[in-house]
Amino acid sequence: MSPLSALGVFSGLFLPMCLGEYNTHSCIPRKSVLYQDNLKLFREEGIWNYSTMLVREDLGLLLLGAREAVYALDINDISIKKSGVYWRVTEEKQRECTYKGKHAEIECRNYIRTLHKVDDSTMYVCGTNAFSPTCDYMTYSEGQLRLEEAQEEGKGKCPFDPFQKYSSIMVGNDLYSATSINFLGSEPVVLRSSSSALRTEFKSSWLNEPNFVYMDLVPESNNNPEGDDDKVYLFFSENAMEYDFYNKLTVSRVARVCKGDMGGQRTLQRKWTSFLKARLDCSLPEPSLPYIVQDVFLLKNDDWRKSVFYAVFTPQSSSSDMSAVCAYSVSAIGDVFDKGKFKTPVTVETSHVKWVMYSGEVPTPRPGACINNAARTLGMERSLDLPDKTLQFIRDRPLMDDAVHPLTGRPLLVKRGDLFTRLVVDSVLALDGETYAVMFIGTENGYVQKAVNYAGEMFIIEEIQLYQTPEAIRTLRLSSTGQLYAGSEYGAVQMPLSECGRYESCLDCVLARDPYCGWDLSTGLCSAVASSPFASVPTNMIQSLKDGDISQCPKSETMKPENYTLVPGNNIKLPCQPDSNLAQVQWLFSGQLLLSDTKYYIYNGGILILNASAANTGQYTCESVEQVNSRPYTRTMAVYQLLPHTNLDEESETMTESPHSHSTPLPDLLKVTEKPKALDPLPPPESQCEDGRVVGLQVVVALLSLMLVGLVAWSLYKGCFRSRFSENSSAGQVKRPSDDYMQIQNNITSEFKLLGPTPSLSANKNQNAIIAFKGNGEHHFSPGSNISTVDGLGYIDDESEI
Ligand SMILES: *[C@@H]1O[C@H](CO)[C@@H](O)[C@H](O)[C@H]1NC(C)=O
Ligand SMILES: *[C@@H]1O[C@H](CO)[C@@H](O)[C@H](O)[C@H]1NC(C)=O
Ligand SMILES: *[C@@H]1O[C@H](CO)[C@@H](O)[C@H](O)[C@H]1NC(C)=O
């Protein structure tokens, strides 16, 4: 075994340790689907910031709010605009806004921020309106969208500043909103606009420079033996008051108010009597400052107790590029608010206030509780009846001592790379009768990550590029018709939740572990599970989500080799690309495993046979090895037969000799774990694993790879190739070879045309134009200009470029 291949095995041994971690290789999406032209896109020239959406399935519409425009789009194809209205700022408003020091073309415009359903044909819409928030009613009838022009004050319902975060929700006819109520953005409120309007106290213990993220209603009065009320939950981040920290420290919070709250009689008049908040915990395995909540989605269940909030978190400091998703059950949040201890402020050393656990007596009824049966038996029917003691307590202590911890004790997903921005979650009934929560997570650079957590195992089924240029995804919405809508500054895009047809083989379909898809044995296609009629439970469908078990897949036919003629002296490139980012490629020559050495160069896009000789004729098989739950699955991706060149008969006699081409066969374990990727001449693509130790290992691997590159370069320089120039160089210049350099193969390559391929390339699926793979060796090896490819078969013109 050459020192080079020994190194290859060595570095190969390290990788399974990364893969063996609890989060396994799940940090890498199994497939990367690059931008496709056939995605449905809506944008209008001159209009930007498509960031507000309302799905109206009853009207068959997606309502899309942008800067100074609202559109009614066909819910099935959002590139079809049914109607639209413009709501521009008046010149006067814009002038006032610029006088106050705001940017005319950016800030002093009308950004649509609120779009809610009021009734069958009416919506409520608010915009920032040049730092003068305004609301209006909007109707859709006879295919026409119309603003009522009955403009209302939007203060507290919609932010002044288009860059400020906000949230709102319509419950019945009441608008609940969380935003700033003044021009400076310094007075945050959680407001209910209704006949009995309520708001939060202007106290930093209630809201301390918050960033509001999300609001939703949980109908907790349903089927509730305690006679409890419905609640509106609010997610935000704010400056922490409970920690001693040298700097401002931001924490994530969940807060809630009761729907039936009417405020207090004397204390907390027209203020919430039920505003409680708690820290939201989403801790990563490694120590770090608390992560900050960016978006939330409520996955509703018929039993509200089983409803779950999914939340996206990103780091507090910009030094990290890790994002996480944590999930919180409604009942766990309820436990903290209903049974947990409170925090209370204590003054230490004259002026410094510390928040500590309150261990004194808690008044009855419990502060912050909704009016429930217990309160009613005490004769309190409304919050107005609550005693001052209870109200004073809650006015001064809205923060709970306990944090709310995620469902499984840790994040459902952790990923390094472009930060997460938004998420939605769909609940999918799979063939095994179980329901899976599939997360669709938008990123800063315009991708959607489709991910599942299978019993603790993080798994990203695929990542889909929605925008041609990197665009932060600002909004995500789901429709029950299986569509996902994304909004960015540039435009709105629609994509189906699943495209099972992307998986072409049974293996690929099952290993995708996509709850929406199964392999249909009768049609031989990967198809949507839901579309198969459930009356005849599809027994002829294969799906194995937790295990990725392919044993039921039909045996695939052995692949016919593609025949090529080998011209001695050439460098030959045989392409092969795995159809999964999680797969590793291995090459076999006449049944024996090949490793990168001075003869072979294996990279993610194929193999290079350097200075081919007659000894290298024979069969080359490219296999992809993909691990699911540490079980390797091997699949043949391509087979090539290199035939001897008939003009060079005398060389074919030396075929049985093998100067330096064959590597010793490896034990089975190593065959499986061998990872050619590690042999790329450049360090591997950005490390995706989140475990510090794993990153360390990858650095070791990268260093080993670099050493390897050095060795390859050295050996190329010393012995193998001394050709320093190319006759085929585009400049057409022919330099005189110096004494040191011999020009060997290039004459041959230019004299002999490569023969082949023989006309059947059928089985080769490597040219899938739609699906590209991250970490594709082409980027690292830079062969583009050096290797000319003749019908898939290539050779190097100028080795000095390697
Ligand atoms: C609106 O879009 C423009 C163009 O991309 C961008 O410069 C601006 O920051 C966006 N405004 C907001 C409030 O997002
Ligand atoms: C390749 O050549 C072999 C004989 O060496 C032949 O049996 C086979 O059919 C050829 N394959 C193709 C695809 O032409
Ligand atoms: C190419 O291989 C042939 C025979 O295998 C050998 O004689 C020749 O020196 C090699 N050329 C280079 C540049 O290594």
Side-chain angles (χ1 to χ4, degrees), residues 446-746:
Y447 276 76
V448 163
Q449 309 279 339
K450 178 176 172 184
V452 201
N453 190 300
Y454 289 123
E457 181 205 1
M458 304 172 184
F459 186 68
I460 303 180
I461 299 166
E462 55 193 3
E463 60 175 3
I464 300 130
Q465 187 183 13
L466 291 189
Y467 294 91
Q468 212 160 6
T469 52
E471 297 276 326
I473 290 180
R474 301 271 181 226
T475 326
L476 280 180
R477 288 285 184 278
L478 281 176
S479 77
S480 63
T481 50
Q483 300 293 315
L484 178 71
Y485 310 97
S488 79
E489 283 172 6
Y490 172 81
V493 172
Q494 172 186 358
M495 71 164 237
L497 298 182
S498 68
E499 260 182 84
C500 303
R502 215 174 259 152
Y503 310 111
E504 293 180 5
S505 65
C506 181
L507 239 83
D508 198 22
C509 182
V510 175
L511 291 182
R513 301 166 74 196
D514 185 331
Y516 296 96
C517 303
W519 184 259
D520 189 333
L521 286 167
S522 52
T523 59
L525 292 172
C526 195
S527 323
V529 167
S531 72
S532 345
F534 259 91
S536 59
V537 172
T539 46
N540 53 349
M541 265 221 170
I542 308 174
Q543 193 185 50
S544 174
L545 300 179
K546 285 181 187 145
D547 304 324
D549 180 3
I550 56 151
S551 57
Q552 285 177 27
C553 278
K555 288 272 166 296
S556 53
E557 290 171 30
T558 43
M559 204 177 264
K560 265 201 159 179
E562 288 173 42
N563 291 339
Y564 290 98
T565 303
L566 179 147
V567 180
N570 278 355
N571 300 313
I572 297 172
K573 174 186 160 195
L574 301 175
C576 175
Q577 222 170 50
D579 54 11
S580 156
N581 294 330
L582 304 182
Q584 296 157 42
V585 162
Q586 63 185 23
W587 284 88
L588 302 173
F589 175 60
S590 306
Q592 294 202 335
L593 188 68
L594 293 180
L595 295 169
S596 275
D597 58 15
T598 51
K599 186 72 199 172
Y600 297 108
Y601 180 80
I602 299 170
Y603 64 105
N604 215 16
I607 191 170
L608 274 173
I609 306 168
L610 304 171
N611 185 21
S613 71
N616 305 129
T617 56
Q619 183 157 308
Y620 290 81
T621 308
C622 170
E623 294 180 341
S624 93
V625 183
E626 185 163 354
Q627 308 231 10
V628 180
N629 291 335
S630 16
R631 250 176 310 145
Y633 290 115
T634 306
R635 194 157 29 133
T636 303
M637 301 301 294
V639 183
Y640 299 97
Q641 183 81 35
L642 293 189
L643 304 170
H645 194 275
T646 42
N647 290 348
L648 300 164
D649 282 341
E650 67 283 7
E651 284 217 15
S652 49
E653 286 163 21
T654 67
M655 266 188 69
T656 44
E657 278 178 41
S658 46
H660 47 209
S661 59
H662 294 176
S663 34
T664 12
L666 291 163
D668 275 336
L669 172 76
L670 294 182
K671 271 195 191 179
V672 168
T673 56
E674 199 263 337
K675 194 187 180 191
K677 274 185 210 169
L679 300 171
D680 282 354
L682 292 177
E686 56 167 320
S687 162
Q688 304 262 357
C689 288
E690 52 279 3
D691 189 293
R693 196 164 61 89
V694 169
V695 173
L697 285 175
Q698 296 212 336
V699 169
V700 172
V701 172
L703 284 176
L704 285 172
S705 308
L706 279 174
M707 283 169 61
L708 198 58
V709 176
L711 279 166
V712 170
W714 180 78
S715 68
L716 289 178
Y717 177 75
K718 272 312 252 198
C720 305
F721 310 104
R722 274 164 281 171
S723 168
R724 286 313 248 173
F725 70 95
S726 163
E727 278 201 345
N728 302 340
S729 73
S730 53
Q733 272 181 326
V734 180
K735 280 192 222 151
R736 246 188 51 170
S738 78
D739 291 344
D740 284 348
Y741 302 122
M742 281 162 43
Q743 185 231 321
I744 305 161
Q745 302 95 356
N746 293 319

Side-chain angles (χ1 to χ4, degrees), residues 66 105 152 158 164 174 188 209 211 224 264 288 310 325 331 440 479 514 533 675 684 756 766 798:
E105 284 310 307
E152 290 187 357
C158 171
Q164 206 172 48
D174 299 346
E209 296 179 38
N211 268 311
N224 193 317
S288 59
Y310 286 77
V325 177
S331 46
F440 295 85
S479 77
D514 185 331
K675 194 187 180 191
N766 291 326
D798 184 0

